[in-house]
Amino acid sequence: MKDGTRLSRRTVLKASLAGLAMTPGWARFAHAQHKTTTVNLQLGWLANNNQLGEACAKNLGYYEEEGINLVIQPGGPNIDGVAVVASGRHEIGQVSSSPSLMLAASQKIPVKCIAVGAQEHPYAYFSLPKNPVRTPQDLVGKKVGIQATARVLLNALLKKHNISEKDLQIVVIGSDMSPLLTGQVDVVSGWLTNTTALKPLGPDRIDLRLWDAGVRLYALPYYSTQSLIEKKPDMLAGFLRATAKGWAYARANTDKAVDFLVKEYPNLVRNDELEASQSFLKFAFNGATKANGWGTFDKGVWQEQIGLYDELKQFTAGAPKLDDVVTTAILEKSADGRPKIG
């Protein structure tokens, strides 16, 4: 071989060193990929801004750092998410409201809450200034429009304030708020975070929050099976750490967070999700999260809920024990990694 075409020893050495310099990053990536475990999050609905923190955590690599490949499984009217998780098909679930897990526990379904997404439930009753409902007592004599699945929430409110159901007229409606605008009802119910649906009611609408009226429910609780809580607490703690970091990022960078959300779910309308996300974040963080980190909950609030629902005779198989409904074990295990933000 001529000298002009022969690779010098120095050239080969330089190339080798350059390759070695690149290898550690590649090797770490390959190693992380190899050790990543797929974890399925079963929702009770189609994904929306309720998954804002998860979208951030996925796009920023927080789950990967915990060795998790998170797959968000959509729910819907024909999917019983609690049953899916209880069967072991998926590892973690999320329901819209805490009573679902209380009722599951009363039926001996082995799932427990491990964290909550909203510290105070955004559910409320909406009225207009011409016929305002500012307190539970103002419901007396009114036509109240609710969704069929929300009947028990209204019953809880009436029970809490010693109001008889016969003192008002209940009208079953859908998610549309138009019956209030057309005068078919005096009050409608829904989530304060559903800003698109609420917009037609105008800026002067009057809100009566269920939480403020003394019915303290949690929204968007996360749950898993007793078996996984015992056998894979590290995985569940890793999920909570990553998700908490995602929600903390969303709170500090809401515009960018919504970009991540729409990237994950292109069917969503960015401006609608941005407005709804700004509303929801007010419920995801408060004094409790500042003290104990995102996802925390108060067992006393859960016990209060169990007592109220027992009074309403919602537990056909008997009221569940608190420790069959919730566990703080995963919150405690992930405490150092969940940002404390109020």
Side-chain angles (χ1 to χ4, degrees):
M1 182 180 293
K2 295 181 179 179
D3 290 341
T5 58
R6 184 183 295 118
L7 289 174
S8 71
R9 184 171 179 175
R10 180 174 294 179
T11 301
V12 172
L13 182 59
K14 283 183 178 179
S16 298
L17 290 173
L20 286 171
M22 295 176 63
T23 299
W26 175 86
R28 283 195 299 271
F29 176 77
H31 183 63
Q33 289 292 94
H34 179 69
K35 293 192 70 174
T36 296
T37 300
T38 295
V39 175
N40 295 280
L41 173 61
Q42 176 65 60
L43 305 181
W45 51 83
L46 297 178
N48 55 27
N49 61 82
N50 292 338
Q51 273 57 66
L52 187 67
E54 284 85 344
C56 292
K58 287 186 72 173
N59 279 271
L60 294 169
Y62 297 157
Y63 291 117
E64 188 178 8
E65 289 172 6
E66 296 287 352
I68 291 172
N69 170 39
L70 185 71
V71 179
I72 299 176
Q73 301 287 354
N78 299 317
I79 297 175
D80 185 343
V82 173
V84 169
V85 174
S87 72
R89 181 179 168 192
H90 293 154
E91 292 79 12
I92 303 169
Q94 189 177 35
V95 290
S96 62
S97 302
S98 47
S100 296
L101 298 183
M102 299 181 337
L103 294 167
S106 74
Q107 297 293 329
K108 309 303 180 187
I109 299 173
V111 296
K112 289 185 181 183
C113 175
I114 59 172
V116 300
Q119 293 299 311
E120 297 181 4
H121 207 296
Y123 193 82
Y125 296 90
F126 308 108
S127 59
L128 299 175
K130 63 182 180 181
N131 193 8
V133 172
R134 293 187 171 89
T135 70
Q137 292 298 331
D138 291 337
L139 290 169
V140 174
K142 299 293 195 298
K143 292 180 180 178
V144 182
I146 60 171
Q147 299 75 34
T149 54
R151 183 65 174 261
V152 69
L153 299 179
L154 179 60
N155 289 345
L157 179 64
L158 299 179
K159 178 75 174 179
K160 186 76 175 179
H161 294 274
N162 298 311
I163 300 171
S164 173
E165 191 176 309
K166 64 181 177 59
D167 290 337
L168 53 127
Q169 184 177 341
I170 299 172
V171 181
V172 177
I173 63 171
S175 58
D176 186 11
M177 301 292 172
S178 60
L180 178 59
L181 295 172
T182 57
Q184 293 173 270
V185 298
D186 304 309
V187 187
V188 291
S189 64
W191 285 44
L192 281 160
T193 53
N194 192 356
T195 53
T196 301
L198 291 173
K199 198 168 292 184
L201 301 185
D204 297 325
R205 73 164 200 266
I206 295 162
D207 305 338
L208 171 61
R209 283 208 305 153
L210 200 61
W211 183 280
D212 293 337
V215 180
R216 302 195 300 167
L217 307 177
Y218 283 123
L220 307 179
Y222 296 83
Y223 63 95
S224 189
T225 62
Q226 179 61 34
S227 175
L228 275 184
I229 291 166
E230 293 174 356
K231 295 177 181 177
K232 294 190 177 181
D234 290 337
M235 178 271 285
L236 295 174
F239 167 79
L240 285 192
R241 281 192 298 268
T243 305
K245 288 171 64 178
W247 278 104
Y249 179 90
R251 185 177 181 278
N253 308 274
T254 309
D255 277 29
K256 183 60 178 176
V258 172
D259 288 339
F260 287 146
L261 180 68
V262 175
K263 176 184 173 184
E264 290 287 319
Y265 304 102
N267 60 303
L268 298 178
V269 179
R270 187 186 186 281
N271 287 342
D272 290 348
E273 298 305 322
L274 178 59
E275 188 175 0
S277 296
Q278 290 167 337
S279 174
F280 178 77
L281 285 165
K282 298 173 185 177
F283 296 95
F285 295 93
N286 67 2
T289 57
K290 186 174 184 179
N292 300 307
W294 174 91
T296 190
F297 59 76
D298 183 345
K299 292 178 77 172
V301 171
W302 282 94
Q303 187 62 67
E304 183 182 299
Q305 294 175 49
I306 293 170
L308 180 57
Y309 271 65
D310 192 28
E311 286 185 53
L312 291 168
K313 303 187 186 307
Q314 292 298 304
F315 303 120
T316 57
K321 295 179 180 179
L322 177 62
D323 289 341
D324 290 334
V325 180
V326 304
T327 177
T328 57
I330 309 304
L331 285 173
E332 291 163 8
K333 195 171 186 62
S334 60
D336 291 343
R338 290 181 292 106
K340 295 180 178 179
I341 303 171

